[in-house]
Amino acid sequence: MVRLLRPFGRAVTYTRWLHLFIAVVWPAMWMFVEEAWWTWLVAAVTLAPAGLVPAMRTVEGLQARLLLTGHGHNSESIDIVVAPSASWSDRGRLVVWLEARLLLGYATGMLSMQLLISSVDLVASAFGRDVDEGVLILLDGHRWWHVLLAPLSLAALAATVVGSGRLITALALRLLGPSPAERLAAMEERTEQLLERTRIARELHDSIGHALTVAVVQAGAARAAGDPAFTDRALDAIEETGRAALEDLERVLGILRESDRPVSGRPTLTDADRLLESARASGAKVDAELTGPVDTVPGPVSREGYRILQEALTNVLRHAGAVPVRIRIEVTDEALALEVRNPLTADIPGPGRGSGLRGIRERAALLGGRAHTGPDRGDWQVHAELPLR
């Protein structure tokens, strides 16, 4: 019983009812002037071109969010779009929404009014008062038991309020929700955010973890040595490492402050030339081979491919120096393949070591791909495959 009464304690139950009544205010006022049934037909026809106006989607979306869900414009958890219509599909769904809202609003308004009038008539008839002929209930004479039917009419009214509100909310989520293109854009943005958070977490872990490790080891060694000169050198090392960690922390916080930076402003594989020129300027002999249309690679894949290429070239310059580097980028219908090879030297870390190499594999894994780093026929190889879908 308590569960059945719970919806009537929520404000959104009544705002949904109000939302339906708002849809029929102007045709109802027109009907009082003309007193003709065709006014509703004219209203339905008038709504069709109105739904083709892009800004109409914003108006309906804001109204639906506020009255149907109880949330305003800034709520990102509600799957109702407030952006203008961007395609004919969006406009078509909006026209259907306006017509459905008008029809459901008319039905809900008429039913609510008749049920309320019926409840009053049943009570009046039970006490011997004459009432007009009703639409839903035909009363024959004055019967005391008519008063027993009044609660049933009120219960039907309550069910109408709750049921129509839930129905119009379901329609709003369906017809005012994001289109496939908007869902794809939102998913791309969410993927980019997750990838960025993972990268920042990895950088913080490596930088702060390294600084703390150095500080702990140096402090323990200085205490054990008992040599003032050694203690001074240990303190200098701790100070230098701490300063470097603070610089890394400040840099990462700067990235977090730019969270509103548009995704399109971040580099992709179409900007790979700047990486190649930078490597060549550092003395490396870069030979690049490109196969397939790089500009058709989806945004998240292209951006992570750029970062993988950047990390691979950074590792080459850091560990091997100015050596010949062969780069192969191949784009197919299913995947992006990226390979970086350079002569193997003794300073390059073994397979599975180094935060840069872990970062390459993590970036590939986050997109459902795979990456391999390690020796291969006398070369050091970084090979990554990222699915395009």
Side-chain angles (χ1 to χ4, degrees), residues 87-321:
S87 65
W88 286 107
S89 175
D90 295 337
R91 295 182 179 93
R93 290 194 302 153
L94 183 58
V95 171
V96 175
W97 158 256
L98 292 174
E99 301 292 351
R101 184 186 174 192
L102 177 65
L103 177 61
L104 186 57
Y106 174 78
T108 302
M110 291 296 295
L111 188 58
S112 300
M113 181 176 62
Q114 292 299 325
L115 286 172
L116 184 60
I117 292 175
S118 298
S119 300
V120 176
D121 288 347
L122 286 169
V123 175
S125 175
F127 285 93
R129 298 183 61 181
D130 294 331
V131 297
D132 296 332
E133 183 176 328
V135 177
L136 298 179
I137 300 177
L138 299 178
L139 300 178
D140 183 16
H142 305 289
R143 303 288 188 270
W144 65 267
W145 48 265
H146 285 172
V147 72
L148 301 179
L149 299 178
L152 297 180
S153 183
L154 291 176
L157 175 60
T160 300
V161 172
V162 176
S164 60
R166 291 180 176 176
L167 179 57
I168 194 62
T169 303
L171 287 175
L173 294 174
R174 178 72 176 177
L175 299 174
L176 297 180
S179 64
E182 290 168 331
R183 291 183 184 276
L184 180 61
M187 183 178 64
E188 178 178 320
E189 182 67 23
R190 178 60 178 167
T191 301
E192 179 66 23
Q193 291 175 357
L194 291 176
L195 291 172
E196 191 70 11
R197 288 179 183 178
T198 302
R199 185 183 67 81
I200 291 174
R202 183 171 60 246
E203 290 185 2
L204 280 177
H205 174 270
D206 293 342
S207 177
I208 304 302
H210 172 73
L212 291 176
T213 300
V214 170
V216 171
V217 172
Q218 291 286 353
R223 175 179 296 177
D227 183 1
F230 184 85
T231 301
D232 289 340
R233 291 194 298 272
L235 291 175
D236 290 340
I238 293 174
E239 181 181 5
E240 181 180 353
T241 305
R243 289 183 183 275
L246 287 175
E247 291 176 359
D248 288 340
L249 180 61
E250 184 64 27
R251 178 176 56 83
V252 171
L253 291 178
I255 295 175
L256 291 175
R257 294 189 190 103
E258 298 177 0
S259 58
D260 294 334
R261 180 182 178 185
V263 175
S264 58
R266 301 177 185 178
T268 63
L269 279 178
T270 57
D271 305 311
D273 288 343
R274 71 176 68 170
L275 294 178
L276 304 183
E277 292 302 324
S278 177
R280 292 189 180 105
S282 301
K285 301 176 181 178
V286 180
D287 180 19
E289 177 184 352
L290 175 62
T291 305
V294 176
D295 55 343
T296 62
V297 177
V301 179
S302 186
R303 284 187 285 273
E304 290 310 303
Y306 178 92
R307 294 302 183 189
I308 290 175
L309 177 60
Q310 183 182 50
E311 187 63 42
L313 288 175
T314 300
N315 287 337
V316 171
L317 296 174
R318 180 184 301 164
H319 299 291

Side-chain angles (χ1 to χ4, degrees), residues 363-370 385-387:
R363 290 183 184 277
L366 281 173
L367 293 178
R370 57 182 180 176
E385 291 188 6
L386 307 178

Side-chain angles (χ1 to χ4, degrees), residues 17-33 40 43 63 101-102 105-106:
W17 198 32
L18 175 63
H19 181 268
L20 287 169
F21 275 101
I22 292 176
V24 297
V25 167
W26 66 275
M29 293 177 63
W30 189 13
M31 186 177 181
F32 279 117
V33 175
W40 293 98
Q63 190 177 159
R101 184 186 174 192
L102 177 65
Y106 174 78

